[in-house]
Amino acid sequence: MSETPGPEDPQNPQNPFKGTPFEALFGAGGGLPGGMDLSQIFGQIQSLMQPYDGPLNWDVALDTARKNAATTPDPTPTQRQKDAVADAVQLADHWLEETTAFPSGIVTVTAWSKAEWIVNTTDVWKQLVEPVAESSVSSLSGALPAEVAAMAGPMAGFLGKAVGALLASQVGSGLGALANEVLSVSDVGVPLAAPGRAALLPTNIAPFAEGLGVSEDDVLLYLALREAAHQRLFAGVPWLREHLIGAVRDYAAGVEVNLQAIQERVEEQMRGVDVNNPESLQQLLEGGMFELPQSPKQKAALERLEIALALVEGWVDEVVALATTDRMPAAGRLQEAVRRRRAAGGPAEQVFANLVGLELRPRRLRDAATLWGSLRTRQGVEARDGVWMSPALLPTSADLDDPLGFREGAEAPEALTEDDFDAELRKLLDGGSGPSAGDAGEDV
């Protein structure tokens, strides 16, 4: 019986990544694949990346997004389409005057192509994606053992950049898929453009309208109502934008590396993968091989974000339903079509799931709409919209479990003391930022 070669045996060198999440990636069974040495391995990684700043290579992400969006026709909106969108939004904003205490938030109105949507929403997507990407990349690159980093030499410092470049492809794929489906700039529930900038995408609205049995004019007007309602809410609630983005930052801050869990995932997904093929490695990483398990802190942040997004969408749903009563017979059918689109895994759910690990639960949206409608019926429009004065006043997950019971028995909005009123006024005068998602804690 022959002896097993020791770790110093040149015929069977010990895998320096043994016991780490990178063991399977850089050679199962204790040896490096195909006789490659560390310099060759890191050379493969370096070949996948180009110089860039920040946690993600946004040039790669945007190029990938544009290419994905271009897989279907993307004509520039005609002047006639732009005029139709402007007229629909103007009428929608007029209808909303009687349904909410918030004034119009629209400054400009336009029609976008898919490519224009990608370009004009990039700045906000960076705010949403980069905190998560930065925490994930730094955590993964930091998992490399010190002795391995020393053996790798200068190339070890580029591991995080390589992973960031590959994650950029995943981000680009997600944004490109979203660009092929999104109907307006507010379609995902988060303000993706500059405040007051309303936009709809006629190219995507046309296929959405097919088979609904509703006129194209009604479809356009209904979607314009939803866009105008989103604009009013975010303009009337200055802290809401930061509240949502802050929850994503809280999620990123909670990233924790579970070496065993990552290693098990790597080993499972590495089966049959050619590590010498850069495209194969890219597909592997885009498939979520390095997706990190959620920590308790992340789960809490995602719950806050999920509830806040459900409350936004539920409020829009309720306000639009109120505005279309006795005005648009087809509104009920369109409302259900929008809800089914979300329930079937629409663009909002898929993008948040891919980029930050969040899936919106349609049940929460319906519960939120019921809650807002019930509160308005019992206490009026001012009381319903007054809940948005502070994140501390927003309904909780428990409230959404019993939407008809939210503030049950209250006859009027809770009165603020003079000190409370002065404090809220100072916040608005100071810029209306309000407390962040993290400050609101479990009340959100």
Side-chain angles (χ1 to χ4, degrees):
M1 182 175 178
S2 61
E3 295 182 353
T4 301
E8 302 301 327
D9 191 326
Q11 300 300 318
N12 187 13
Q14 183 181 22
N15 183 358
F17 296 89
K18 187 173 181 60
T20 78
F22 305 96
E23 178 179 4
L25 179 62
F26 296 137
L32 300 180
M36 296 178 68
D37 58 32
L38 283 175
S39 62
Q40 290 175 303
I41 291 173
F42 284 100
Q44 290 284 2
I45 294 176
Q46 189 177 35
S47 70
L48 299 178
M49 54 179 281
Q50 298 294 328
Y52 65 94
D53 295 323
L56 284 180
N57 188 333
W58 280 99
D59 289 337
V60 170
L62 295 179
D63 184 61
T64 302
R66 284 190 287 262
K67 288 179 179 178
N68 285 3
T71 56
T72 56
D74 185 27
T76 300
T78 64
Q79 188 59 48
R80 182 177 179 181
Q81 288 175 318
K82 292 180 179 179
D83 291 342
V85 167
D87 291 343
V89 172
Q90 183 178 18
L91 179 58
D93 218 25
H94 175 69
W95 284 10
L96 291 173
E97 285 293 335
E98 301 174 359
T99 68
T100 174
F102 297 131
S104 173
I106 296 175
V107 178
T108 63
V109 181
T110 189
W112 280 344
S113 66
K114 293 182 290 185
E116 288 172 325
W117 179 89
I118 292 172
V119 171
N120 288 308
T121 62
T122 297
D123 288 344
V124 176
W125 281 115
K126 287 181 178 180
Q127 295 181 59
L128 293 171
V129 174
E130 285 190 349
V132 179
E134 185 172 9
S135 293
S136 299
V137 169
S138 61
S139 296
L140 286 168
S141 59
L144 199 66
E147 61 272 17
V148 176
M151 292 178 63
M155 288 303 301
F158 295 105
L159 179 59
K161 287 288 186 180
V163 175
L166 294 174
L167 290 177
S169 294
Q170 180 179 354
V171 171
S173 297
L175 294 182
L178 180 60
N180 279 318
E181 300 181 49
V182 73
L183 304 176
S184 73
V185 70
S186 301
D187 203 19
V188 300
V190 176
L192 294 176
R197 193 174 189 184
L200 279 77
L201 284 74
T203 299
N204 292 341
I205 292 175
F208 169 74
E210 292 178 0
L212 294 180
V214 179
S215 71
E216 291 184 11
D217 288 343
D218 275 356
V219 174
L220 180 61
L221 179 56
Y222 186 82
L223 296 175
L225 281 161
R226 290 184 56 82
E227 174 68 10
H230 277 100
Q231 294 289 344
R232 281 180 181 256
L233 181 61
F234 282 102
V237 186
W239 54 262
L240 185 54
R241 177 188 293 258
E242 174 59 25
H243 180 78
L244 295 173
I245 296 175
V248 178
R249 285 198 298 265
D250 288 346
Y251 171 86
V255 169
E256 297 177 0
V257 175
N258 185 327
L259 296 179
Q260 182 177 357
I262 297 175
Q263 180 173 341
E264 291 174 354
R265 185 180 295 112
V266 171
E267 291 174 346
E268 178 181 354
Q269 297 190 19
M270 274 299 299
R271 296 188 182 97
V273 173
D274 180 6
V275 297
N276 298 310
N277 183 349
E279 292 185 2
S280 181
L281 285 174
Q282 181 171 340
Q283 293 173 0
L284 184 67
L285 293 172
E286 289 179 5
M289 182 180 70
F290 289 148
E291 179 182 351
L292 301 177
Q294 293 178 4
S295 68
K297 185 176 180 179
Q298 286 178 295
K299 291 179 180 179
L302 287 181
E303 182 180 5
R304 292 196 299 271
L305 180 59
E306 180 183 63
I307 293 172
L309 288 172
L311 291 173
V312 168
E313 292 300 289
W315 185 91
V316 168
D317 199 74
E318 131 77 8
V319 167
V320 171
L322 189 61
T324 53
T325 301
D326 301 328
R327 283 193 175 114
M328 185 185 289
R333 190 181 307 176
L334 289 167
Q335 179 189 53
E336 191 57 32
V338 170
R339 286 179 169 182
R340 286 200 309 268
R341 180 170 172 262
R342 289 292 179 87
E349 291 81 4
Q350 292 301 320
V351 167
F352 276 105
N354 291 339
L355 301 186
V356 300
L358 172 69
E359 292 187 17
L360 294 177
R361 291 179 289 176
R363 181 178 67 84
R364 301 283 83 179
L365 187 156
R366 292 176 184 268
D367 290 342
T370 299
L371 182 148
W372 293 126
S374 173
L375 183 59
R376 185 255 309 163
T377 299
R378 288 183 281 114
Q379 300 183 28
V381 168
E382 292 78 8
R384 180 201 64 198
D385 294 350
V387 175
W388 292 101
M389 180 178 289
S390 165
L393 299 178
L394 291 183
T396 64
S397 179
D399 291 322
L400 292 180
D401 291 336
D402 181 23
L404 297 179
F406 179 64
R407 295 186 60 182
E408 187 177 11
E411 298 297 332
E414 296 178 5
L416 292 176
T417 66
E418 290 187 9
D419 290 341
D420 289 338
F421 179 83
D422 290 341
E424 293 299 328
L425 180 60
R426 280 196 299 273
K427 290 176 184 177
L428 292 176
L429 293 177
D430 289 340
S433 60
S436 67
D439 296 333
E442 297 302 320
D443 290 331
V444 180

